[in-house]
Amino acid sequence: MRTSEIERNTAETKIKIKLNIDGSGKYSNNTKIGFFNHMLDLFARHGRFDLETICDGDIDVDYHHSVEDTAIVLGKCFSEALGDMKGIKRYGNFCMPMCEALTLVAVDICGRSHLVFESDLKHEKVGEFDTELVKEFFTALTNTMNITLHIKTFYGENTHHIIESIFKGVARSLAQACEIDEKYKNEVLSTKGMLENNKN
């Protein structure tokens, strides 16, 4: 099993995450942000990752630190659990429909941090959640996990549906990329012979 457990404490947030990449989609996420919990639950279930998140953040200020720092810890968990990345498929992509919304996601676990985010989030808030934090979450995840991630929403009217299609699509794409390919079980899928793994 490829697992990780990381705790990160700052003056703004105290976060603990347990991740099992080879899980069955079990989840227990408590960030004190209802909509964000929902997205993390979807991420775990549709990626079939076992995920436990506890975040105690300065939500009296706003949700920014909690969302961004959760992504940082989650990225560290993925990097630690993937280890030397021998045998992983490395690439994953998924076109995720959610009612009227459709989002394409593609990922490369390559050691090069790059995010392309093209999604028209039509409203500034879903409930109390600032929708601009969706990009902040995936920026932090991309930078910490050291991956290339492309997210493009083709269309959608309901902002909740659009964001849901993004989280589900990233989950399915990451699940594909993290899968072990028996053809490459003892090697890394790169002409360099290695994939950088950011563990900072």
Side-chain angles (χ1 to χ4, degrees), residues 85-88 183-190 193:
M85 295 186 280
K86 284 184 178 178
I88 66 166
K183 292 181 293 186
Y184 302 104
K185 188 166 63 173
N186 297 313
E187 57 186 278
V188 172
L189 188 57
S190 171

Side-chain angles (χ1 to χ4, degrees), residues 40-96:
L40 293 175
D41 293 349
L42 292 171
F43 178 84
R45 185 71 186 96
H46 290 272
R48 290 186 64 80
F49 308 123
D50 290 347
L51 180 64
E52 295 180 31
T53 304
I54 300 173
C55 175
D56 182 13
D58 57 354
I59 59 174
D60 58 312
V61 176
D62 66 8
Y63 296 161
H64 186 109
H65 298 142
S66 291
V67 172
E68 183 177 45
D69 290 3
T70 296
I72 289 171
V73 179
L74 183 60
K76 289 177 181 288
C77 282
F78 267 101
S79 290
E80 183 172 278
L82 285 169
D84 62 11
M85 295 186 280
K86 284 184 178 178
I88 66 166
K89 290 185 176 179
R90 177 176 164 177
Y91 304 101
N93 65 85
F94 202 85
C95 199
M96 177 60 72

Side-chain angles (χ1 to χ4, degrees), residues 169-186:
V170 172
R172 290 298 296 264
S173 299
L174 267 179
Q176 286 180 20
C178 291
E179 281 181 6
I180 299 296
D181 189 327
E182 290 299 315
K183 292 181 293 186
Y184 302 104
K185 188 166 63 173
N186 297 313

Side-chain angles (χ1 to χ4, degrees), residues 10 35 53-54 57 70 103 124 166 172:
T10 72
F35 182 77
T53 304
I54 300 173
T70 296
T103 296
E124 292 183 0
I166 292 171
R172 290 298 296 264

